[in-house]
Amino acid sequence: MTTLLPHIQIETAPQPSAAVIWLHGLGADGNDFAGLVPELDVSGCPAIRFIFPHAPAIPVTVNGGYVMPAWYDIFGADLVSRQDTVGIRASARAVAALIEREMARGIPAHRIVLAGFSQGCAMALHTGLRFPHTLAGIMALSGYLPLADQFAAERTAANAHTPIFMAHGSQDPVVVPARGEASRDLLVKMGYPVQWHSYPMPHSLHPREVADIAIFLKQVLAHDVA
């Protein structure tokens, strides 16, 4: 049994019937986006339970082996020439366990959004599109699809039509725009409904992006589906 990741939990109202699981980036923790909840205009949505998990602390090769919160190791700045397959798959199991825990608490998969920034974005795409139950949506912020060469064989039909919100900064020096665009192009080619948003920013969050995230959440969560 996978040990449940430690996390922050925020509910917009009692008895939530929807959930958003939001994964932070390298070196951060669940607090990184928890403060964003009051800024999101989710009027019209049912009560939402936001879950912000903390990644385990591991040595990160690209940062000289410094131990920091990370979903997986990063071996080089280009991100994709050599990837931590074992680490990515281990974190995917831990994230899937969080989704399954929400399902066990009474929120069906089709009312759950999986979100992530940077490394968390990579994990959201990797885990969500392989998950065996249909999710409400995936938010992929300033990141990319890892293990792309294995994706076609491992993706599930359950999430073949799940709405994907992808956002990227046009001046991002960490995950260069071309990396996100390549992931977008692959997903679009495979038939996924991708909403692509580019913002004039580095590796961060843009005020207009926050508004667009709220719009996306209302699109996929505002109307309950039996």
Side-chain angles (χ1 to χ4, degrees):
M1 182 69 184
T2 304
T3 303
L4 208 62
L5 289 165
H7 57 274
I8 296 164
Q9 176 177 299
I10 301 171
E11 296 181 355
T12 60
Q15 298 181 313
S17 60
V20 177
I21 299 171
W22 200 318
L23 312 174
H24 62 75
L26 178 67
D29 64 19
N31 292 287
D32 208 28
F33 290 99
L36 195 66
V37 173
E39 297 180 39
L40 294 172
D41 175 12
V42 289
S43 55
C45 288
I48 302 172
R49 178 183 293 130
F50 284 85
I51 302 289
F52 300 95
H54 308 301
I58 62 170
V60 176
T61 301
V62 76
N63 289 335
Y66 188 81
V67 174
M68 62 180 64
W71 298 110
Y72 53 89
D73 196 5
I74 296 178
F75 299 116
D78 79 337
L79 302 174
V80 294
S81 60
R82 182 179 163 218
Q83 299 186 65
D84 178 16
T85 303
V86 172
I88 291 169
R89 295 197 188 284
S91 280
R93 289 191 295 273
V95 173
L98 284 174
I99 302 173
E100 290 158 2
R101 198 275 295 260
E102 291 311 299
M103 293 169 65
R105 294 165 93 182
I107 298 178
H110 70 263
R111 305 289 298 148
I112 299 173
V113 171
L114 187 57
F117 175 81
S118 194
Q119 251 203 353
C121 165
M123 289 310 310
L125 288 170
H126 176 91
T127 309
L129 297 175
R130 288 167 170 79
F131 198 68
H133 305 285
T134 304
L135 299 171
I138 296 171
M139 292 197 311
L141 314 177
S142 301
Y144 63 102
L145 176 70
L147 307 182
D149 57 334
Q150 302 170 39
F151 178 62
E154 296 177 356
R155 66 188 184 133
T156 59
N159 285 290
H161 304 291
T162 298
I164 303 172
F165 177 99
M166 293 188 77
H168 217 99
S170 58
Q171 303 142 25
D172 193 331
V174 179
V175 182
V176 294
R179 187 72 62 229
E181 290 160 4
S183 295
R184 172 202 64 194
D185 294 347
L186 173 64
L187 292 171
V188 169
K189 183 179 178 181
M190 297 178 83
Y192 290 92
V194 176
Q195 300 179 23
W196 175 261
H197 301 261
S198 179
Y199 303 96
M201 64 177 184
H203 195 60
S204 58
L205 208 62
H206 193 276
R208 195 168 75 241
E209 183 180 4
V210 175
D212 289 339
I213 286 170
I215 291 169
F216 178 76
L217 290 176
K218 286 197 270 195
Q219 286 173 352
V220 299
L221 294 178
H223 303 292
D224 204 350
V225 180

